Amino acid sequence: MTGTADGTADGFTPSCPTFSWGHPALRAEFAAAADGTPRLVRLGPGGTAVDPEVALPLVELTAVGHGSGWSGPRFTGTALGSRLAYRGHRDAGSSDWVRLTVELHDPVTALTAFVELTSPVGLPVLRSRVRLRNDGTDPLVVQSVSSLLLGGLPSPDVLDVHRARNDWLAECRWYAEPLRDTVADIGVDAHQHDSRAALTLTGRGSWPTDGHLPMGALTERGGGRAWVWQVESPAGWRWDLGERAHGTYLAVNGPTDAEHQWRARLAPDEEFTTVWAAVATGSTGTAEAGAAEAGAAEAGAAEAGVSRPGGGSALDAAFGVMTAYRRAVRRPHPDHGALPVVFNDYMNTLMGDPTTEKLLPLIDAAARAGAEYFCVDSGWSDDTVDGGWWDTVGAWRPAARRFPDGGIEAVLDRIRERGMVPGLWLEPEVVGVHSPVASALPPDAFFQRDGVRITEQGRHQLDLRHPAARAHLDRTVDRIVGDWGVGYLKLDYNVVVAPGTCAPGDLSPGSGLLGHAHAYLAWLSDVLDRHPGLVVESCASGGMRMDGATLAVAQLQSLSDQQDPLRFPAIAAAAPTAVPPEQGAVWAYPQPGYDDDLIGFTLGGALLGRIHLSGHLNRMSERQLGLVRAAVDTYTAIRGDLARAVPFWPLGLPGWTDPWLALGLRVPDGPSYVSVWRRGGEADVSLPVGHLAGREVRPEILHPSAESGGAAVWDRDGHALRVSLPRTPTALLIRLHAGTD
């Protein structure tokens, strides 16, 4: 697990030989190009190295006075990137992770770049970021810097690119197209110049997943390989794909000057570090890997719970690797293994109008249904008579008129008496224009531009780099959690600010926004350090903050605010592309007016995620409440498997209007689960399950427990699960018990 080059006394090598690094599941090889810059020429458990002239430098960056080597939208060929000379590398690691730092230096500006590469042992995934240090005597204003660069991928002729639109109420909508549709074949040989075209995707503003997920994927037609990447930025991000010497490159960035008004001014001895980015690889076979490496890669993948190289699609395998990686980098917390059932009073229920009178019967019914946490959502601090909580929030004190007898403490006590953990909704970063907090805190505690405080939809935005803003939130959380005994916080964020803030000392709005976003996550980490038993849900109008940096800190992630039970399954089925199943909060809001099929349908969609139960359970008949309790019992019986399972999609990634949807979870050394929804179309469907090909499989319908008329039969010859659902809308949860090969 160490590099092949000999180290000097300080751990760095004195020259730039070809060297390798990694572990059996991920082998990286580096070599120098003609200009002397080191290049990543091979990445994966197998394969051959590419020509260093085809590969990319380890770092690409632009700075004022040092732009691109040629014009165009691509983030390659920068003047500084071609000058960063190799100084040495240091190889370190442990039994769980391997780490490599490559030091580069620009003789013109005296800028030093440290490329920090890491990988969890047993997983074919590379994590990368870049640290810059100004070792010169003059300031340097950086306008963009890469987090991860990967060249030498197959030609755009054979690649499909996958992206995921992520809009409010319509999250995780993946779509694909041939890369060649965007990056046209210009006849490179006739021009002796690569195309300037690039497929570029960006995310802007304080909602990092508004518009698109900060992810992407490539699949190789006929080659059986896939690459999935994510940008772990809580603010702006960018990635682009283009053609280089008949191959494809991937460049991943955090915020940039051109797209996000981000710049970093590095005075002498000052540093800047980019956001992390990660790329995971998947394959349908091991033919291209050496026998020893292939065996080790398969063993490591099996240990981590990812798909075996020989079964399923390459894209499924890469998403499985990414799922295991996300678990490896996140903050440890008991919730990731316990997976308690959460009841939240908002969706299709109280909708921001909680009172003691309305909550007490809901609390009793939620406990009878099997909920283990009960979260009082928005409105609990609203003491206005017209429901005008939106522009008055910020003090986070309970509304006396809503809780007249015993205050909110009586409601929290009732939750505990019924055996549940109490939770509260909080939108910590905003202060309403009519809140007393808006005038109590100093002006610099808020987002600002040109000395004017920013107002967005009747709200101001706190800047958590300011000590007064942070102290205000610390007092708030310590009162709610420490004094009131609340064990669950739903942290919402319902405004988006773009491009950011320019506080005193900020060079640009984008740099201010990134600074605040990092400060928010640091604040949240400190909260969890002080209150280790606290469970935190990240929410931003549903799934507008579903980025890797936030997922690494929060325990749960809201997926959507979608209220239509027929539309939510498309979100739930695709969510494991972005969020591990045990972190994805899926609304299940059965209502007393639903028939049995629709009750089963809305509950079934949450059983392979995190149940976020809601609905007027207190108005249900005993029979209806029994259906809810049966679904919750099914979930509690299988949730121990979900925390270590990886996803697969028997019908491919779901389409927004598909009549049939299917999501599978595969447990290492255990069963597989398949949720299947029918929203229309024919009454029968065949679901390929490649990793169980050739095996005897016994399907077991776990949900619904009532008679649905559904059936599931295993077709061994077709290695597929044949499902029949005579009515619509209906859903099944099926467990697949597999025999030996």
Side-chain angles (χ1 to χ4, degrees):
M1 299 177 188
T2 61
T4 58
D6 294 329
T8 61
D10 64 358
F12 279 90
T13 58
S15 60
C16 184
T18 297
F19 65 96
S20 61
W21 164 85
H23 49 81
L26 183 86
R27 182 60 57 184
E29 187 173 317
F30 303 84
D35 60 8
T37 59
R39 312 288 176 105
L40 175 60
V41 297
R42 174 185 162 213
L43 181 69
T48 58
V50 301
D51 186 330
E53 305 306 321
V54 174
L56 294 177
L58 294 184
V59 179
E60 296 272 25
L61 73 155
T62 59
V64 175
H66 307 270
S68 297
W70 51 291
S71 298
R74 300 161 49 135
F75 189 72
T76 57
T78 62
L80 272 165
S82 63
R83 295 203 310 254
L84 287 169
Y86 174 86
R87 271 190 167 178
H89 70 272
R90 182 168 53 211
D91 193 347
S94 65
S95 60
D96 298 323
W97 285 81
V98 295
R99 294 176 172 84
L100 176 71
T101 300
V102 182
E103 182 177 340
L104 310 171
H105 186 72
D106 174 32
V108 177
T109 63
L111 178 71
T112 301
F114 301 90
V115 183
E116 300 176 358
L117 305 176
T118 68
S119 181
V121 175
L123 290 176
V125 60
L126 177 69
R127 194 185 202 202
S128 174
R129 70 179 181 183
V130 173
R131 177 166 55 93
L132 301 177
R133 185 180 70 208
N134 186 357
D135 290 331
T137 57
D138 298 320
L140 185 70
V141 178
V142 178
Q143 296 174 287
S144 63
V145 55
S146 60
S147 288
L148 183 150
L149 295 169
L150 184 60
L153 296 172
S155 166
D157 292 326
V158 299
L159 293 178
D160 291 322
V161 59
H162 306 254
R163 291 166 281 177
R165 294 186 178 94
N166 202 69
D167 300 309
W168 184 54
L169 309 180
E171 291 85 352
C172 298
R173 292 178 294 128
W174 286 87
Y175 62 104
E177 64 175 322
L179 181 57
R180 189 55 91 187
D181 283 359
T182 298
V183 182
D185 184 353
I186 64 169
V188 170
D189 294 335
H191 299 89
Q192 292 80 50
H193 201 294
D194 286 327
S195 170
R196 291 177 174 175
L199 191 160
T200 302
L201 204 65
T202 59
R204 300 180 178 90
S206 55
W207 278 350
T209 55
D210 181 24
H212 277 86
L213 291 177
M215 298 179 60
L218 286 171
T219 51
E220 183 182 24
R221 293 190 298 275
R225 292 183 294 173
W227 299 261
V228 171
W229 60 90
Q230 68 176 23
V231 197
E232 297 171 16
S233 175
W237 54 269
R238 164 197 167 119
W239 60 256
D240 63 275
L241 294 165
E243 187 171 16
R244 177 179 170 85
H246 301 291
T248 299
Y249 77 84
L250 166 68
V252 181
N253 288 64
T256 68
D257 188 13
E259 286 91 358
H260 310 95
Q261 299 185 37
W262 172 91
R263 297 188 301 280
R265 183 182 187 274
L266 298 183
D269 298 324
E270 284 190 334
E271 294 189 357
F272 170 77
T273 303
T274 71
V275 300
W276 287 106
V279 60
T281 65
S283 174
T284 57
T286 59
E288 61 192 37
E293 285 193 348
E298 183 167 349
E303 180 180 352
V306 304
S307 299
R308 295 182 304 169
S313 76
L315 186 58
D316 283 357
F319 275 123
V321 171
M322 186 61 78
T323 301
Y325 159 79
R326 289 168 177 151
R327 289 169 174 153
V329 298
R330 71 190 176 194
R331 178 190 178 96
H333 196 284
D335 181 81
H336 295 317
L339 279 62
V341 175
V342 178
F343 184 96
N344 182 294
D345 69 28
Y346 186 84
M347 193 61 69
N348 290 352
T349 311
L350 300 187
M351 300 295 290
D353 189 27
T355 65
T356 300
E357 181 182 10
K358 294 177 180 178
L359 284 168
L360 294 185
L362 265 181
I363 291 168
D364 294 348
R368 291 178 59 201
E372 295 155 300
Y373 281 61
F374 189 104
C375 182
V376 180
D377 209 283
S378 61
W380 63 268
S381 63
D382 172 27
D383 220 4
T384 66
V385 296
D386 58 355
W389 60 269
W390 180 264
D391 58 7
T392 62
V393 295
W396 307 116
R397 298 285 182 174
R401 73 175 184 87
R402 293 183 174 276
F403 311 105
D405 299 319
I408 198 170
E409 288 86 351
V411 172
L412 302 178
D413 286 344
R414 181 66 159 262
I415 294 171
R416 283 186 282 265
E417 289 169 4
R418 295 298 183 262
M420 298 181 291
V421 176
L424 284 179
W425 171 92
L426 198 66
E427 197 170 355
E429 292 158 272
V430 300
V431 173
V433 296
H434 295 134
S435 170
V437 177
S439 58
L441 294 178
D444 286 352
F446 298 91
F447 274 30
Q448 56 188 285
R449 292 289 301 277
D450 298 320
V452 178
R453 187 184 301 188
I454 291 175
T455 302
E456 180 65 30
Q457 291 184 269
R459 290 157 160 215
H460 304 307
Q461 163 91 42
L462 289 174
D463 188 337
L464 285 183
R465 297 172 297 172
H466 196 284
R470 181 161 178 156
H472 163 65
L473 291 189
D474 282 340
R475 289 191 299 269
T476 297
V477 170
D478 290 347
R479 179 177 68 252
I480 292 173
V481 178
D483 297 345
W484 301 354
V486 167
Y488 184 100
L489 288 179
K490 175 177 179 175
L491 300 184
D492 210 343
Y493 182 54
N494 289 305
V495 298
V496 57
V497 180
T501 179
C502 257
D506 284 337
L507 186 61
S508 63
S511 59
L513 177 60
L514 184 62
H516 160 77
H518 284 313
Y520 168 76
L521 293 178
W523 168 77
L524 182 54
S525 294
D526 286 347
V527 165
L528 291 166
D529 287 341
R530 294 200 308 277
H531 305 286
L534 178 67
V535 175
V536 169
E537 174 195 344
S538 171
C539 179
S541 287
M544 299 296 99
R545 202 180 233 172
M546 201 152 45
D547 60 281
T550 302
L551 282 170
V553 180
Q555 286 70 64
L556 284 90
Q557 172 62 53
S558 175
L559 298 181
S560 183
D561 284 348
Q562 176 58 247
Q563 297 181 65
D564 186 340
L566 296 181
R567 286 180 168 84
F568 209 112
I571 300 169
T577 61
V579 182
E582 68 274 16
Q583 287 183 269
V586 183
W587 285 107
Y589 30 61
Q591 301 293 355
Y594 289 0
D595 63 22
D596 289 359
D597 283 344
L598 191 53
I599 288 176
F601 187 87
T602 187
L603 289 166
L607 298 182
L608 292 186
R610 286 296 296 272
I611 291 186
H612 251 44
L613 196 61
S614 197
H616 293 285
L617 305 186
N618 55 306
R619 302 176 187 173
M620 284 186 162
S621 68
E622 286 298 318
R623 182 184 58 79
Q624 289 176 320
L625 194 60
L627 297 178
V628 178
R629 181 64 197 233
V632 171
D633 287 346
T634 296
Y635 179 78
T636 57
I638 69 170
R639 62 184 170 187
D641 283 342
L642 307 187
R644 56 197 187 98
V646 294
F648 63 95
W649 290 270
L651 296 176
L653 296 179
W656 186 245
T657 59
D658 287 354
W660 283 88
L661 302 166
L663 166 66
L665 292 184
R666 179 182 177 187
V667 183
D669 302 320
S672 295
Y673 296 88
V674 176
S675 279
V676 56
W677 299 262
R678 182 187 172 207
R679 301 188 294 185
E682 300 295 326
D684 302 285
V685 70
S686 180
L687 308 176
V689 186
H691 68 272
L692 297 180
R695 302 172 70 175
E696 293 291 345
V697 177
R698 178 173 61 86
E700 176 189 8
I701 296 176
L702 302 180
H703 171 85
S705 56
E707 177 57 45
S708 66
V713 178
W714 178 250
D715 176 4
R716 175 169 179 168
D717 294 336
H719 52 85
L721 182 67
R722 299 191 180 278
V723 174
S724 175
L725 285 171
R727 300 189 299 274
T728 184
T730 45
L732 294 179
L733 173 63
I734 305 160
R735 179 161 52 196
L736 302 178
H737 302 271
T740 58
D741 290 322

